[in-house]
Amino acid sequence: MEFLTFKLDGDEFAVDVLKTREIVDLRSVTKVPQSPDFMLGVINLRGSVVPVIDLRLKFGMEKVDAGQSTSIVVMDVLVGAEKVIVGAMVDSVEEVMELDESQIEPAPRIGTRLNTEFIKGMGKQDEQFLIILDIDRVFSTDELAMVQGAAEQPAVAE
Amino acid sequence: MTMDQYAETFREETLELLSELEVGLLELEQNPEDVDVIGRVFRALHTVKGSAGMIGFDEISQFTHEVETVFELVRSGGLPVTGELVNLTLAARDIIKEMLDKNLGGESVDPEIADQLVAALRGLVPTQDDFSANGVAEAEELITSESEEATYHIRFRPPANIFHRGIQPQGLLQELSRLGTCRVIAQTDSIPRLDELDAELCYLYWDIILTTEHDEDRIHDVFIFVEDDCELKILPINEDLLAQSGEGGRLGDILVQHGDLSRDDLERVLQAQNKPKLGEVLVQAGVVTGAQLDVALEVQAEVKRQKQKREAVEESSSIRVRSEKLDSLVDLIGELVTVQARLSQTSAGQDDPVLNEIAEEVERLTWEMRDHILNIRMLPIGTTFSSFQRLVRDLSQELGKEAVLVTAGAETELDKTVIDRLGDPLVHLIRNSIDHGLESPEVRHKAGKPEQGTIFLSATHSGANVILEVRDDGGGINLNAIRERAKSRGLLTSEMETSEAELINLIFSPGFSTVGEVSSVSGRGVGMDVVKQAIDSLRGSIAVTSVEGKGTTFTIKLPLTLAIIDGLLVQVAGEKFVLPLSAVEECIELSRQDVASANNRNLIKVRGEIVPYLRLRERFRLNGKPPEIEQVVIAEAMGQRVGFAVDHVIGEHQTVIKALGQMYRDIKGLSGATILGDGTVALILDLPPLVQEAEADERILTDSVH
Amino acid sequence: MAKKIMAVDDSATIRQVLSFTLQGAGFEVTEAEDGQDALEKLVSDPPDMLITDLNMPRMDGIQLIKEVRQSSWGKFIPILMLTTESQEAKKQEGKAAGASAWLVKPFKPEQLLAIINVVLL
């Protein structure tokens, strides 16, 4: 299986390469009012309006200013029964790598910073751990379809 | 009651009949020619067969039918009673008994034995009668092959004694009207002078012009019980019928064809005709009646209409395209529009006449292309209309009402997406009209109305909009009931003065319903608020008017297309938003003083009228301070004028709408997004929910009214 | 007020099916076992409609229809005849006697109600 790997707050993550469409540079994002912070907003992707989420915030990590290597990984995600194109903002995109089934271990119950529900397994390469994400879960409807009240935080402007 | 209970009755009855059969057969052995006994045996078999068939014991019914057929022959003298016949029939009786036990849980019957017996019984019959002809055939369901709409001219002249057969011609005409759109013309020329008139006889006959999707057989079915005795002509009306003539068939030819006018009479009158209208001359000459002329004129009009329809179809009948292909074409043109906007913007910033010219040319072509592409998606709404005929028929039956659906403007074109999403709200409105609008036939009768209520559904174009109307001639909306209901729901306080229009519009409030008990039809947990929501989501509006005792009218106004709107681009806290221009009335400046003089309440004076406004900055919790002078966009939403305070109004902007998608489905107040000339995304505001939310928060509505 | 229908059939099963179907549709139903029985009940309390089988003991359906049509109260009431015989002769005989409509057994409840809808305004 092939995976696309990227970094978030020092940790390395991986998603099934078949789920990804393309990688684009960070561009002007329009915030949608009354949505939670981790939902960054929408971008124009060659004439389509595509929602983007900030994976750092989604995983409860600290927010940082976007840097040179900040990218958006555009993916096909199943939200409910519908296929949706979604962008995920990450610190940097690393590489596409091959992993055997044997190199993948089940997700640990504890010991990771994020909700184990989002984790498909742990990959191991050169003594380094990779967190393989179940990206459909990360974008699952229940998590994202927010109520108005959830947006108490001041929204981003300018 | 269930089949099981029928089965119990059937069992008791059949056991009784079987013993009667046994006794009868034994008697016949002694007196083979006793007609009474033969009759009794036959009747027992006959009843067993009929009853079994009724409750679905087909095995018994079919088997008994075979035996019955033999005894029918015996009864008519075609076959003598022999010892063999009695033996076989007794054996058959035992098999019926076994089958009965089996159906009620006993051992199953060996089909071979039954078959052998049937074969032996058949062997008794000398001539080869058609045994397989089972009387069931005629009871086959009256399923009709649905086909394209056609129009028929039906002449129905019942036998004069039709009343003595307990048949009311109205019933037949009414049944006919359920098949489609129907115009009935009563012919009165056979009514004799009063002193010769027998009140028990029927002197009327009828001409009916029926447009229906059912076939001719289905029309015959309506008259099945009188067809043999009445004069019934069913003529399809089509162009070929009258092909040779210009004006949709010459009147004289039609009358001759109907047999209302002889060719000789026509020629005679034609010769005398000095170019006034033939119809009038014929009536004056006394050779046809006014009503006969009406029919011919109606047929003529229909032929003309069909011709137009055919021409319209021919015009558009080239190829079929999958709607997905059109959708992607619309997406592409949307992108093209965006790119073109960027090109125009770029060229405007540069002093290059050649580039400017190219940009202008591209702009012109893009818009032309856009119009054409959107036009491809337009479909006549008529297909939706025709499905409602059945709905009205079924619902009125279910609810014990009598209703007919009359439609107009079926050819009106709307965007396919709009049509698709319009079905449910229209169904709901029609249900509502039948359920709550139309009174029961008895009540209507007392009120001096025809017992059959009419639901009128129409579509018309009006500029960039389509107006749909659902009207009924029922009892109207009871304003007092609404008032009481609104008070009990806390939507209205007793001090509040409300206009009729305000009051009646309360039916669109969530969870509002004036009918005490929930009926099975309208009361499926869906109210008028859902209809309103659906219409809102199509960027349309709905209004209702009602006259007590006369009826209710729902008027729906819809944009022709969903793909593109004319918008007003505004800016708040650096973010750009688009308001639908159709709702915008004007823009007004709002200075700090204005705010102060209104005691910091969100109210603004627009030419003497106080209008409430809401601040998009606050609504959307956007950062930053508003400028010294803000702009208030005055718009119409939720049936009232509301202002939207923004930092700047940028200008008009034609916008291709993009959905925000599944991830933002719960965000209220936004209907989509659009891509601006500079490639950034702007959000399109959905005004009614914004106002609703603000009202809920601040009750700005009630503040403003008082 | 609910319309009254009399169901005449020598089969208890069919009477039960008729009664149940018609009552379900909101009609008031009375039953009779044959023509003779029907006539006796009809005279005192004429219904809005009569449904009758044809082949019955004592008095058959055809005779019943004739009697009803000759009465002062039954001249115009709708009469639906039930038959298992598809033969033209029987149907014609019934029509000549004054039956309004016919229905061939076995029938489905919807068919019965559809016909009543046409015949019984």
Side-chain angles (χ1 to χ4, degrees), chain B residues 405-424:
Chain B
L405 179 70
V406 178
T407 63
E411 69 288 347
T412 308
E413 290 193 330
L414 260 171
D415 190 289
K416 184 181 177 301
T417 324
V418 181
I419 290 180
D420 290 348
R421 285 162 62 184
L422 204 52
D424 285 350

Side-chain angles (χ1 to χ4, degrees), chain B residues 232-365:
Chain B
L232 181 68
K233 273 190 272 180
I234 303 177
L235 286 175
I237 301 176
N238 56 47
E239 285 178 55
D240 313 340
L241 189 77
L242 308 144
Q244 70 279 29
S245 43
E247 265 298 281
R250 279 199 215 131
L251 204 51
D253 293 337
I254 298 174
L255 285 163
V256 170
Q257 199 192 6
H258 291 177
D260 290 334
L261 176 67
S262 71
R263 185 56 72 180
D264 288 350
D265 275 346
L266 174 67
E267 298 300 330
R268 187 167 52 79
V269 176
L270 273 179
Q271 272 171 14
Q273 187 187 14
N274 205 359
K275 274 297 159 196
K277 292 227 164 177
L278 172 63
E280 292 160 20
V281 179
L282 287 170
V283 173
Q284 263 169 26
V287 287
V288 296
T289 67
Q292 284 164 348
L293 180 65
D294 276 355
V295 177
L297 284 171
E298 190 73 21
V299 170
Q300 195 179 34
E302 173 60 29
V303 170
K304 230 186 262 180
R305 200 178 66 84
Q306 279 189 16
K307 200 166 155 194
Q308 281 168 5
K309 201 166 148 190
R310 176 181 54 78
E311 278 162 8
V313 169
E314 272 172 12
E315 251 172 49
S316 62
S317 71
S318 23
I319 46 163
R320 296 167 73 97
V321 183
R322 290 184 65 83
S323 61
E324 290 85 11
K325 286 190 177 175
L326 287 184
D327 290 344
S328 64
L329 207 54
V330 170
D331 282 348
L332 278 175
I333 191 71
E335 277 180 52
L336 190 59
V337 166
T338 306
V339 173
Q340 174 269 319
R342 284 178 71 182
L343 177 63
S344 296
Q345 214 170 42
T346 314
S347 76
Q350 275 160 15
D351 198 13
D352 182 343
V354 178
L355 180 64
N356 284 342
E357 201 192 313
I358 295 173
E360 270 170 35
E361 190 71 349
V362 170
E363 180 172 346
R364 187 184 65 76
L365 287 172

Side-chain angles (χ1 to χ4, degrees), chain C residues 92-114:
Chain C
Q92 294 306 340
E93 216 182 310
K95 271 170 67 180
S100 316
W102 57 89
L103 180 61
V104 180
K105 289 185 284 189
F107 52 85
K108 295 190 177 138
E110 310 87 72
Q111 291 172 318
L112 174 67
L113 295 175

Side-chain angles (χ1 to χ4, degrees), chain A residues 33-150:
Chain A
Q34 297 171 307
S35 55
D37 264 359
F38 73 85
M39 293 184 72
L40 218 48
V42 288
I43 58 167
N44 167 15
L45 188 69
R46 286 190 307 283
S48 291
V49 173
V50 173
V52 176
I53 74 163
D54 185 337
L55 269 191
R56 268 181 169 266
L57 296 185
K58 173 69 188 167
F59 292 159
M61 301 167 182
E62 186 194 353
K63 183 169 180 66
V64 293
D65 287 338
Q68 274 292 325
S69 53
T70 305
S71 300
I72 295 172
V73 181
V74 182
M75 294 179 277
D76 285 326
V77 172
L78 279 176
V79 176
E82 223 178 303
K83 203 174 90 174
V84 179
I85 300 174
V86 180
M89 190 169 85
V90 300
D91 291 356
S92 62
V93 173
E94 299 298 311
E95 60 180 324
V96 174
M97 63 155 67
E98 179 97 30
L99 279 181
D100 284 343
E101 292 284 342
S102 62
Q103 289 171 282
I104 302 172
E105 287 168 23
R109 298 222 158 215
I110 43 165
T112 53
R113 291 196 278 173
L114 57 148
N115 193 338
T116 48
E117 224 192 321
F118 298 155
I119 304 175
K120 221 178 205 163
M122 302 295 282
K124 201 178 173 194
Q125 203 201 27
D126 309 333
E127 296 308 306
Q128 223 218 315
F129 277 103
L130 271 174
I131 302 166
I132 301 170
L133 292 173
D134 183 342
I135 205 69
D136 291 337
R137 280 266 170 89
V138 175
F139 286 90
S140 79
T141 329
D142 290 348
E143 283 287 327
L144 295 182
M146 73 288 331
V147 260
Q148 309 275 130

Side-chain angles (χ1 to χ4, degrees), chain B residues 532 534-542 556-559 688:
Chain B
K532 182 166 169 41
I535 301 297
D536 281 347
S537 78
L538 292 168
R539 288 189 287 109
S541 61
I542 181 166
I556 297 170
K557 189 172 151 188
L558 289 168

Side-chain angles (χ1 to χ4, degrees), chain C residues 21-86:
Chain C
T21 306
L22 295 171
Q23 279 161 0
F27 295 104
E28 194 181 301
V29 185
T30 50
E31 293 179 13
E33 286 177 18
D34 57 42
Q36 191 66 46
D37 185 24
L39 217 49
E40 280 158 19
K41 289 174 176 163
L42 279 166
V43 177
S44 59
D45 188 16
D48 296 293
M49 181 177 181
L50 187 67
I51 299 178
T52 179
D53 188 26
L54 290 185
N55 203 310
M56 295 180 292
R58 296 208 294 171
M59 184 193 288
D60 71 1
I62 306 277
Q63 188 58 33
L64 173 64
I65 295 169
K66 284 182 186 158
E67 299 277 347
V68 170
R69 284 289 179 245
Q70 277 159 24
S71 71
S72 58
W73 46 266
K75 234 182 212 171
F76 303 124
I77 75 165
I79 302 177
L80 172 66
M81 51 182 172
L82 297 177
T83 168
T84 51
E85 292 137 313
S86 59

Side-chain angles (χ1 to χ4, degrees), chain B residues 162-178:
Chain B
I162 186 169
F163 300 133
H164 289 114
R165 281 195 45 208
I167 297 176
Q168 296 289 330
Q170 301 97 287
L172 302 174
L173 295 174
Q174 222 166 61
E175 179 70 6
L176 204 58
S177 73
R178 291 193 187 107

